[in-house]
Amino acid sequence: MAPLTASDASLPSPVPARILVVGGGGRENALGWALARCPGVEQVLVAPGNGGTAALAGCGQLAIAETDHGALAAACHAHAIDLVVVGPEAPLAAGLADRLRAEGLAVFGPGADGALLEASKRWAKDLMQEAGVPTAGYWAATDRKQALEALERHGRPLVVKADGLAAGKGVTVADSLEQCRDAIEEVFAGRFQSAAPGEAAAAPSLVLEERLHGPEVSVFALTDGRSMVLLPPAQDHKRIGEGDTGPNTGGMGAYAPARLLDAAGLEQVRQLVLEPILAALRARGIDYRGVIFAGLMLTEAGLRVIEFNCRFGDPECETLMPLLGPELARVLLACATGRLEEAPPLTIAPRCSACVIAAAEGYPGEVRRGDAIHGDLGDAPDRQLFHAGSRRTEAGPVVTAGGRVLAVVAQADDFDTAFERAYDGLERVGFEGMVYRRDIGHQVRSQRPALP
């Protein structure tokens, strides 16, 4: 089957027989697993994948870095790929979707212009203001003096956000003016600057935001640039320690659906946030095809957008994929080809999904690597093991290779049972120095779990 493009509007909603998932984390492990289960999908390739990719039924692995756009394009043609799903934000911001679309390929993921929604905090805030989307007040600064003067002018702790991709580490929610000053100094010292190979890093800049208070929730919309499908809301757990203490991480677990938003609340998010931001993107001439991830805070004054991301969240993605129906591959292809209205409705299982992350010792700082990963979950239909920071050695064993190593996910008709299954799964797998929180989902479990 030849790759489909937006010009194939006369065709019925097809199934992509061969799919390439770009990325090597837990999110891409979960996407590969979910897409391979869709009827009509013959093979899912994951590039570069990780130590658990080969164990996923229906999935193969390509040793191609997500930064190697030319090799990825060549692989798409060599393997007759019908749909490319780009997982991480960095290759999207670097224009991978643009390159592949120029080669006639159908891509689920925005171009570099749309990826600015995540790649530039200032650009995103300006767009929110233009669209009338409720968000925190903000002040942009392009040099240290400007930032410090803005802080002193406001005279209270603010949130400091490095402007650009910072792998989830460029945000400081300060409790004091001194913490704010330290965070500003870190940004302008270049701590969070990065650049593509062969390119110079951009000059540091940042956004200062007023600090809001309230529970956070994540909402994901699959879109073809005009229409959208909303997924169940999810709640992530960012802090490393029980009781939501300690430094922020990339996420130590999640659950869905989050009870913070009922059907009426989700519809409010559509009307107040997602539809206006999509219209604002179109007004700027941006044909956005992929995921819009809205990170929300539910304040006493109403919902506010904390951030937008241009890809699935992690570990929310691992949590949500088992709830999504067999139409997923067709829906993603319809988004990629601008024909979402022709896709079948995406069914969503009315169940509870729980995800707990097993991290390496030292996370979120310097972590130990190279420890053998052992155990498996067997054939339980309501429980999944997704790999993230792992790699397969030449000798065969799979070892740890990053901060967040494994995600154990489970589903049930209630959250107590779902988390019981997830934690039981964690006892069946392991590695030296494994760290995990025992209170993930404490917001929805009937009894707060006992901690050691």
Side-chain angles (χ1 to χ4, degrees):
M1 180 168 138
L4 292 166
T5 66
S7 63
D8 296 301
S10 61
L11 297 176
S13 176
V15 179
R18 299 176 67 80
I19 301 173
L20 173 66
V21 175
V22 177
R27 167 182 47 223
E28 292 75 36
N29 217 230
L31 284 166
W33 172 85
L35 291 167
R37 299 169 73 224
C38 296
V41 173
E42 298 172 5
Q43 185 179 37
V44 176
L45 298 174
V46 186
N50 56 41
T53 303
L56 299 174
C59 290
Q61 192 168 356
L62 298 176
I64 304 174
E66 62 191 43
T67 55
D68 195 341
H69 297 185
L72 289 169
C76 288
H77 295 304
H79 293 278
I81 295 297
D82 304 309
L83 171 66
V84 182
V85 178
V86 184
E89 64 276 13
L92 291 169
L96 176 59
D98 301 299
R99 168 67 185 271
L100 298 181
R101 287 192 180 106
E103 302 255 354
L105 296 156
V107 184
F108 182 82
D113 52 2
L116 284 169
L117 202 58
E118 179 169 0
S120 172
K121 303 292 190 298
R122 180 173 183 172
W123 190 92
K125 289 296 252 184
D126 289 346
L127 190 72
M128 284 186 245
Q129 189 174 59
E130 178 183 314
V133 168
T135 187
Y138 71 101
W139 304 270
T142 56
D143 61 54
R144 173 182 171 277
K145 180 182 177 184
Q146 191 179 35
L148 291 172
E149 286 177 349
L151 177 63
E152 300 306 322
R153 193 163 57 246
H154 289 89
R156 64 184 187 276
L158 300 172
V159 179
V160 182
K161 295 185 175 183
D163 187 26
L165 297 179
K169 299 176 183 177
V171 177
T172 299
V173 182
D175 293 316
S176 67
L177 289 174
E178 191 59 34
Q179 280 185 312
C180 283
R181 295 187 191 100
D182 290 344
I184 288 169
E185 296 290 356
E186 281 191 324
V187 171
F188 288 106
R191 177 184 170 190
F192 305 108
Q193 296 308 108
S194 61
E199 295 183 6
S205 62
L206 58 73
V207 167
L208 299 172
E209 274 188 2
E210 64 175 328
R211 184 170 175 179
L212 303 177
H213 299 278
E216 295 185 40
V217 63
S218 304
V219 175
F220 300 87
L222 314 179
T223 182
D224 65 353
R226 299 183 306 278
S227 304
M228 68 178 70
V229 173
L230 268 59
L231 303 185
Q235 189 167 39
D236 185 13
H237 297 63
K238 288 291 187 189
R239 302 283 186 171
I240 186 67
E242 269 101 8
D244 295 319
T245 58
N248 274 331
T249 73
M252 293 301 294
Y255 66 89
R259 294 172 178 168
L260 293 165
L261 288 176
D262 57 13
L266 201 58
E267 183 59 28
Q268 185 182 43
V269 174
R270 178 198 294 270
Q271 294 179 10
L272 293 181
V273 175
L274 295 167
E275 289 182 345
I277 210 70
L278 199 56
L281 287 165
R282 288 198 303 272
R284 292 194 177 192
I286 297 173
D287 187 8
Y288 192 106
R289 303 183 184 191
V291 179
I292 297 180
F293 166 1
L296 308 171
M297 183 172 283
L298 307 182
T299 74
E300 290 185 355
L303 69 86
R304 298 289 185 270
V305 175
I306 299 300
E307 65 177 355
F308 282 114
N309 291 328
C310 62
R311 39 70 188 182
F312 286 105
D314 187 343
E316 295 99 329
C317 185
E318 293 94 311
T319 313
L320 287 168
M321 286 299 126
L323 299 179
L324 305 186
E327 311 86 4
L328 179 63
R330 296 175 67 183
V331 169
L332 297 192
L333 180 61
C335 287
T337 55
R339 300 183 292 112
L340 183 54
E341 292 181 351
E342 299 175 25
L346 178 61
T347 56
I348 297 172
R351 308 192 76 198
C352 300
S353 187
C355 171
V356 184
I357 296 295
E361 182 179 318
Y363 184 71
E366 187 66 29
V367 300
R368 56 184 290 166
R369 302 168 186 263
D371 293 301
I373 300 171
H374 56 80
D376 64 70
L377 301 185
D379 298 323
D382 293 325
R383 189 163 57 195
Q384 302 81 35
L385 176 65
F386 297 127
H387 280 241
S390 72
R391 65 177 180 86
R392 187 174 296 277
T393 63
E394 291 183 7
V398 177
V399 300
T400 62
R404 292 184 295 168
V405 180
L406 303 173
V408 177
V409 189
Q411 299 78 50
D413 293 330
D414 61 84
F415 280 114
D416 284 333
T417 305
F419 275 103
E420 181 181 336
R421 289 175 179 169
Y423 279 105
D424 176 72
L426 275 172
E427 294 180 2
R428 298 168 183 259
V429 298
F431 49 88
E432 191 69 27
M434 186 170 82
V435 176
Y436 61 90
R437 280 181 57 171
R438 294 163 178 81
D439 67 340
I440 300 297
H442 60 82
Q443 304 93 328
V444 291
R445 293 157 76 177
S446 61
Q447 293 185 340
R448 187 174 179 88
L451 302 178

